[in-house]
Amino acid sequence: QSALTQPASVSGSPGQSITISCTGTSSDVGNYNLVSWYQQHPGKAPKLMIYEVNKRPSGVSNRFSGSKSGNTASLTISGLQAEDEADYYCCSFAGITTFEVFGGGTKLTVL
Amino acid sequence: QVQLQESGPGLVKPSQTLSLTCTVSGGSISSGGYHWSWIRQHPGKGLEWIGYIHYSGSTYYNPSLKGRLTISVDTSKNQISLNLPSVTAADTAVYYCASTKRMGALFDYWGQGAQVTVS
């Protein structure tokens, strides 16, 4: 059982927007603006897409955005494209005892 | 750009020690505040943070695994290592090394991963 809760799957049609939620607790997501999101295609290593809740690394499309409210962080992908079909994982810092926790992952299907 | 490459046995017998090495290229393992992480992914499952190490040798481990593993650094070889003794089938996973600019959910560069099967 993962520390952070994500929906198992989401889907959307090309051009649409989707949002993936990541629910934690007041000890992790709710207590730190240190949430990141990773995209993983089958057989590949994860790729950093969002960090510090809403910052994008250089080279990541601005179709990807992040936000947080209370104990829940969210990843929004706008203008869905076929290449966005992948697994997405959230991660949060959880303090100096637990350090880093991941969500269970969400499979995005582009219809 | 920093590149990471994991290496080690793909098959380990139960009760033996899993040993993996991550070689860093394109940058010094001693750079700034970087920490170097191990993360694993069980078959068909999500990601699990194992621990990280600073080039100074300071280590930080997942509490659920603490006491079982050792992460070490060799700055002369630009490598970090993972040792996990007394493995069981539950340790079968893809093991990734990743760079971490600082503590706080920021794994910016990843290796391609090393499949380790305990059988």
Side-chain angles (χ1 to χ4, degrees), chain B residues 27-40:
Chain B
S28 171
I29 207 166
S30 306
S31 312
Y34 263 89
H35 289 68
W36 305 90
S37 302
W38 286 101
I39 294 163
R40 69 181 180 181

Side-chain angles (χ1 to χ4, degrees), chain A residues 33-77:
Chain A
N33 287 325
L34 296 172
V35 177
S36 55
W37 290 89
Y38 301 85
Q39 177 191 65
Q40 186 180 35
H41 288 108
K44 300 295 186 181
K47 175 186 176 183
L48 177 66
M49 305 301 284
I50 295 286
Y51 66 100
E52 292 177 10
V53 176
N54 56 14
K55 297 180 181 178
R56 279 188 310 276
S58 174
V60 172
S61 170
N62 59 9
R63 296 187 299 106
F64 292 82
S65 61
S67 62
K68 191 186 87 166
S69 178
N71 296 337
T72 298
S74 298
L75 172 71
T76 297
I77 308 174

Side-chain angles (χ1 to χ4, degrees), chain A residues 2 33-36 38 40 43-48 50-52 89 91-93 96-105, chain B residues 39 41 44-50 52 59-63 96 100-113:
Chain A
S2 301
N33 287 325
L34 296 172
V35 177
S36 55
Y38 301 85
Q40 186 180 35
K44 300 295 186 181
K47 175 186 176 183
L48 177 66
I50 295 286
Y51 66 100
E52 292 177 10
Y89 294 91
C91 180
S92 175
F93 185 66
I96 60 172
T97 300
T98 305
F99 297 102
E100 316 282 4
V101 290
F102 281 96
Chain B
I39 294 163
Q41 187 168 32
K45 302 295 185 182
L47 301 167
E48 178 184 29
W49 176 74
I50 295 172
Y52 39 45
T59 51
Y60 308 87
Y61 297 135
N62 185 325
Y96 294 100
T100 308
K101 193 170 289 186
R102 46 137 179 82
M103 289 187 195
L106 183 50
F107 304 103
D108 46 4
Y109 295 102
W110 295 65
Q112 65 185 26

Side-chain angles (χ1 to χ4, degrees), chain B residues 6-81:
Chain B
E6 304 90 348
S7 58
L11 183 63
V12 181
K13 294 184 184 302
S15 80
Q16 293 190 341
T17 296
L18 182 159
S19 296
L20 293 173
T21 297
C22 174
T23 302
V24 178
S25 59
S28 171
I29 207 166
S30 306
S31 312
Y34 263 89
H35 289 68
W36 305 90
S37 302
W38 286 101
I39 294 163
R40 69 181 180 181
Q41 187 168 32
H42 294 104
K45 302 295 185 182
L47 301 167
E48 178 184 29
W49 176 74
I50 295 172
Y52 39 45
I53 187 167
H54 186 255
Y55 76 90
S56 65
S58 297
T59 51
Y60 308 87
Y61 297 135
N62 185 325
S64 69
L65 295 170
K66 193 174 181 179
R68 277 198 67 201
L69 72 146
T70 303
I71 297 175
S72 57
V73 61
D74 187 334
T75 54
S76 67
K77 295 181 179 179
N78 234 30
Q79 291 178 336
I80 64 167
S81 297

